[in-house]
């Protein structure tokens, strides 16, 4: 397998997906949720002040503009502090960490948080992998989400991930009509039971927001969504696909990780989350 995904492009595509996802919402929704972002060199930092999960308070894309600079990290910490949030994260590829990283961690008071697996592949590897659409359980169908289905699609995404903050469905729904996004769903009859989207960043595309309602898991929905999104990435002229999911601890089984491995992805590296707290 030949992934050859440029590391800096993989990281930048991820944070651009998150930033574009939330900043595509209407101005009233952004104001109500406290959405804001900061651009520093190649990196982006994002916050949703009203989100109690703190999930979207993150910074990434480091390394595209040169070596990682401690001053850039300090600016992000200041941004988090000024936004009034209690916690924010840094997503940094391990190979980009400088030799004096321990001193930077101590100075900025960062802690080592949840670990993620960064995955990638070239388009042909994904297209030649197992056809998830063909293996979809009888009675289910997969396809592109239309604008009139945006609210249901967004509601299923937020429910499946456990985000209950009012307004987050509107955030998700806003990307359905965005030309940089390809939103897909799996239907059981006329009801959406699984979702997954694709963010296009030039030659690289990010698998984003894949989730299935608990009552419908184990029926092949996510494998089908991986296949259809890989085909969409090829149609958009992409060369690479990237994704991220939680790393497995001893005795754990992450179904999302194994679905992606079957879909042609390979692990690029395991990445810790570096957490800043107020």
């Amino acid at each position: 397998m030949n992934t050859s995904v440029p590391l800096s492009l993989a990281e930048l595509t991820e944070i651009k997906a998150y930033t574009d996802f939330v900043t595509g919402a209407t101005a009233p929704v952004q104001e109500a949720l406290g959405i804001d972002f900061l651009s520093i060199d190649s990196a982006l930092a994002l916050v949703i002040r009203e989100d109690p999960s703190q999930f979207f308070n993150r910074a990434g894309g480091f390394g595209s503009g040169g070596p990682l600079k401690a001053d850039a990290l300090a600016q992000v910490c200041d941004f988090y502090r000024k936004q009034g949030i209690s916690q924010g994260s840094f997503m940094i590829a391990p190979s980009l960490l400088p030799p004096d990283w321990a001193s930077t961690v101590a100075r900025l008071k960062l802690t080592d948080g949840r670990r993620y697996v960064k995955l990638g592949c070239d388009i042909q590897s994904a297209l030649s992998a197992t056809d998830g659409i063909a293996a979809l359980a009888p009675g289910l169908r997969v396809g592109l989400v239309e604008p009139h289905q945006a609210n249901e699609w967004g509601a299923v995404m937020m429910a499946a991930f456990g985000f209950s903050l009012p307004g987050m469905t509107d955030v998700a729904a806003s990307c359905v009509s965005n030309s940089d996004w390809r939103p897909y769903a799996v239907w059981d009859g006329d009801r959406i039971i699984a979702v997954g989207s694709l963010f296009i960043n030039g030659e690289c595309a990010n698998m984003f927001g894949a989730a299935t309602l608990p009552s419908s898991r184990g029926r092949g929905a996510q494998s089908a969504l991986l296949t259809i999104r890989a085909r969409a990435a090829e149609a958009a002229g992409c060369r690479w696909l990237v994704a991220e999911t939680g790393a497995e601890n001893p005795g754990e089984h992450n179904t999302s990780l194994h679905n992606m491995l079957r879909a042609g992805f390979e692990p690029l590296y395991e990445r810790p989350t570096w957490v800043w707290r107020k």
Side-chain angles (χ1 to χ4, degrees):
M1 184 183 298
N2 178 27
T3 58
S4 302
V5 185
L7 181 150
S8 59
L9 180 60
E11 289 291 322
L12 184 60
T13 298
E14 176 186 340
I15 192 61
K16 286 182 71 173
Y18 275 96
T19 304
D20 197 76
F21 181 74
V22 302
T23 59
T26 63
V29 170
Q30 291 192 50
E31 183 177 357
L33 296 180
I35 293 172
D36 203 354
F37 74 98
L38 175 71
S39 178
I40 301 177
D41 298 327
S42 65
L44 290 164
L46 172 69
V47 298
I48 300 183
R49 290 191 298 274
E50 300 302 318
D51 179 18
S53 75
Q54 316 274 3
F55 178 78
F56 289 95
N57 300 340
R58 58 178 59 216
F62 299 97
S64 296
L68 179 64
K69 300 176 182 177
D71 287 348
L73 303 182
Q75 289 181 59
V76 173
C77 292
D78 288 341
F79 171 69
Y80 287 154
R81 193 174 294 107
K82 290 175 182 176
Q83 290 292 323
I85 61 174
S86 61
Q87 179 178 310
S89 300
F90 290 90
M91 312 299 181
I92 307 171
S95 63
L96 296 178
L97 299 178
D100 63 346
W101 179 243
S103 62
T104 300
V105 166
R107 180 163 64 88
L108 299 180
K109 298 181 180 179
L110 306 181
T111 57
D112 192 343
R114 185 181 180 188
R115 304 181 75 83
Y116 287 83
V117 179
K118 189 72 178 177
L119 301 107
C121 66
D122 62 271
I123 292 295
Q124 291 308 313
S125 294
L127 295 176
S128 62
T130 302
D131 184 347
I133 297 175
L136 194 59
L140 302 185
R141 61 184 176 88
V142 62
L144 191 67
V145 175
E146 300 294 336
H148 70 276
Q149 300 164 324
N151 286 335
E152 181 188 2
W153 182 82
V156 170
M157 179 186 291
M158 292 300 117
F161 279 115
F163 293 118
S164 59
L165 178 67
M168 288 303 296
T169 292
D170 296 324
V171 170
S174 67
C175 79
V176 169
S177 300
N178 188 323
S179 61
D180 291 331
W181 290 87
R182 305 290 187 274
Y184 288 93
V186 172
W187 284 265
D188 186 350
D190 60 358
R191 183 174 69 97
I192 294 177
I193 55 96
V195 300
S197 52
L198 185 79
F199 173 72
I200 309 296
N201 181 37
E203 293 186 314
C204 190
N206 181 254
M207 297 286 193
F208 187 92
T212 303
L213 294 174
S215 61
S216 298
R217 291 171 185 167
R219 303 172 68 189
Q222 287 306 320
S223 293
L225 287 165
L226 284 165
T227 295
I228 200 168
R229 286 182 290 169
R231 294 175 183 175
E234 181 194 34
C238 298
R239 295 178 60 188
W240 303 289
L241 287 166
V242 293
E244 58 283 335
T245 188
E248 291 179 333
N249 293 318
E252 292 182 345
H253 180 85
N254 181 347
T255 302
S256 295
L257 173 60
H258 293 275
N259 284 342
M260 285 190 277
L261 294 176
R262 286 194 299 272
F265 285 81
E266 69 174 18
L268 304 178
Y269 44 85
E270 192 169 301
R271 184 187 68 194
T273 300
W274 297 98
V275 182
W276 170 90
R277 290 183 173 86
K278 184 176 178 180

